[in-house]
Amino acid sequence: MTSPSQTAGTTTDTPGLGPEGLTSKKNSKNDALQGRSPGQLMWARFKRDRIGVISAGVVIFFFMIGLLAPLISKIYGKDPYTRYGQITPGLLVNQYPSGPNGGISGDFWFGIEPGLGRDVFMQLLYGIRNTLGLAVGITLVSVLTAILLGVAAGYFGGRTDYFIGRFIDLLMAFPQQLFFVAFVPVVGAIFVAPEDEMPEWLRAAIIILVMWFLGWMSLARLLRGQTLSLREREFVEAAKVSGASPWRIIRRELVPNVMTPILVQTTYMLPNFVTSIAGLSFLGVGLVEPTPDWGRMFANAADYYRNDITYLFFPGLAMVIFIVAFNLLGDSVRDAFDPKRAR
């Protein structure tokens, strides 16, 4: 039988297990938990979400292959412009790849394009690069516009809120997809004569301009509502009393407190812009030949899919994976910021 003295000795002789040691260890753990910022707590919740982490990895992978497309092209030994099927005898027979599965081989990993005989793998990589580049540009200018007008309308109120609100209502009345299809060639005709060929950089700038024009309103309305609930808070009143200018209050006090909806909505806006850009190219008013584009690959595949489904398979599968991954990433970001909300 263990004596009381032996029990006491066991408790006191072991470092860190005495009453004082247990209390200090518990307090230090609570202090560590309480000392974490909201961003650190969000990041900790996000890392526990396996679907979110996997989706983030897939999204990063797509952006990396887009950025590294020129390097991959050098290593792979091919480019998206050369018509290999036309310069190499035997690769095309009656405009279709002579090899099985769209001409997939050790030389052409995803096969070759029917008709022109270009490398599908390089077409896809550069198409992802161009489409994501345009989508990121549109998302950035749309988010900045939404922050500027939405937060300003909510903070200043009065006539500023009225005019910005009516302007947003007017723009939201436009059918977006129809507006994109109709105005991209119209705006292009303003800058370039019909008999001249439009430079690709100008065509890309026009796509960004037109899609930005109708791409920021929903986020602006959301930020306006958030700002209306924040402008009467104590920290805003304290900034006013201290003599801070309105724009300093907006920049230093309000915008940091609406970053949650900004980040969440951005993860939904970008894949929507990706599908819109691909849709414009599919309809022939986006990027045109010979610039590689995700949507134009679908348009070209529509002419050949009955006899060569492989050419449609790879761009279609890539777009489905990217859109699903980005939407799941948006859900995970939202849940990480708002853990009480069930998915």
Side-chain angles (χ1 to χ4, degrees):
M1 183 175 179
T2 305
S3 64
S5 60
Q6 290 175 331
T7 304
T10 303
T11 304
T12 56
D13 291 341
T14 304
L17 293 181
E20 294 180 357
L22 291 173
T23 302
S24 61
K25 184 175 181 181
K26 183 177 180 180
N27 290 337
S28 62
K29 184 177 181 180
N30 291 335
D31 292 341
L33 292 174
Q34 295 174 359
R36 290 191 292 180
S37 66
Q40 292 173 328
L41 293 173
M42 185 277 293
W43 176 243
R45 287 192 292 265
F46 179 79
K47 289 191 295 183
R48 291 195 297 267
D49 190 342
R50 292 185 178 180
I51 295 178
V53 172
I54 295 173
S55 300
V58 173
V59 170
I60 292 173
F61 170 75
F62 272 87
F63 277 100
M64 290 301 297
I65 63 173
L67 289 173
L68 299 177
L71 178 61
I72 297 174
S73 177
K74 291 182 179 180
I75 298 174
Y76 182 57
K78 295 179 177 62
D79 61 74
Y81 304 103
T82 303
R83 301 181 178 186
Y84 299 99
Q86 295 181 355
I87 63 178
T88 304
L91 289 180
L92 290 177
V93 177
N94 295 327
Q95 294 189 335
Y96 290 96
S98 59
N101 301 319
I104 294 177
S105 64
D107 295 327
F108 301 97
W109 294 354
F110 287 2
I112 57 176
E113 178 185 14
L116 298 179
R118 294 176 295 193
D119 186 85
V120 176
F121 180 61
M122 283 291 98
Q123 282 271 305
L124 179 59
L125 259 61
Y126 275 84
I128 291 173
R129 175 187 177 90
N130 294 331
T131 302
L132 291 185
L134 289 175
V136 169
I138 298 167
T139 302
L140 288 177
V141 295
S142 299
V143 169
L144 291 176
T145 305
I147 292 173
L148 177 63
L149 297 182
V151 177
Y155 176 73
F156 290 109
R159 292 185 177 181
T160 302
D161 185 21
Y162 176 81
F163 285 114
I164 293 178
R166 301 297 75 75
F167 181 61
I168 291 175
D169 293 338
L170 174 65
L171 294 183
M172 294 191 74
F174 283 89
Q176 288 192 5
Q177 299 300 328
L178 182 60
F179 181 90
F180 296 156
V181 174
F183 276 82
V184 167
V186 171
V187 175
I190 296 175
F191 295 98
V192 179
E195 62 273 11
D196 297 332
E197 184 177 354
M198 185 184 300
E200 284 303 317
W201 67 266
L202 181 57
R203 184 177 294 274
I206 291 172
I207 293 174
I208 293 175
L209 176 65
V210 172
M211 298 189 70
W212 157 78
F213 186 67
L214 293 180
W216 55 271
M217 295 87 66
S218 58
L219 178 58
R221 294 188 70 173
L222 177 62
L223 295 181
R224 172 189 174 273
Q226 294 282 331
T227 305
L228 286 174
S229 63
L230 290 173
R231 67 178 184 178
E232 304 299 333
R233 299 283 292 273
E234 294 81 0
F235 62 92
V236 176
E237 295 295 332
K240 291 180 181 178
V241 172
S242 66
S245 65
W247 290 112
R248 179 178 175 82
I249 294 174
I250 290 175
R251 187 177 70 254
R252 301 294 297 273
E253 305 295 341
L254 294 176
V255 171
N257 284 281
V258 294
M259 286 305 297
T260 298
I262 291 173
L263 292 176
V264 172
Q265 289 301 312
T266 299
T267 59
Y268 292 120
M269 291 170 64
L270 193 143
N272 289 335
F273 286 134
V274 167
T275 55
S276 297
I277 294 169
L280 290 179
S281 298
F282 181 85
L283 296 173
V285 295
L287 298 177
V288 297
E289 293 284 2
T291 304
D293 180 76
W294 219 341
R296 209 189 65 252
M297 292 186 72
F298 288 109
N300 294 340
D303 298 328
Y304 303 107
Y305 75 94
R306 294 181 183 273
N307 297 311
D308 185 12
I309 193 64
T310 308
Y311 182 59
L312 178 64
F313 174 77
F314 289 109
L317 179 64
M319 179 163 285
V320 169
I321 292 175
F322 177 79
I323 298 300
V324 171
F326 222 115
N327 287 333
L328 290 175
L329 176 62
D331 291 340
S332 298
V333 172
R334 180 200 62 197
D335 294 342
F337 277 111
D338 187 7
K340 296 181 180 179
R341 180 172 179 172
R343 178 174 293 182

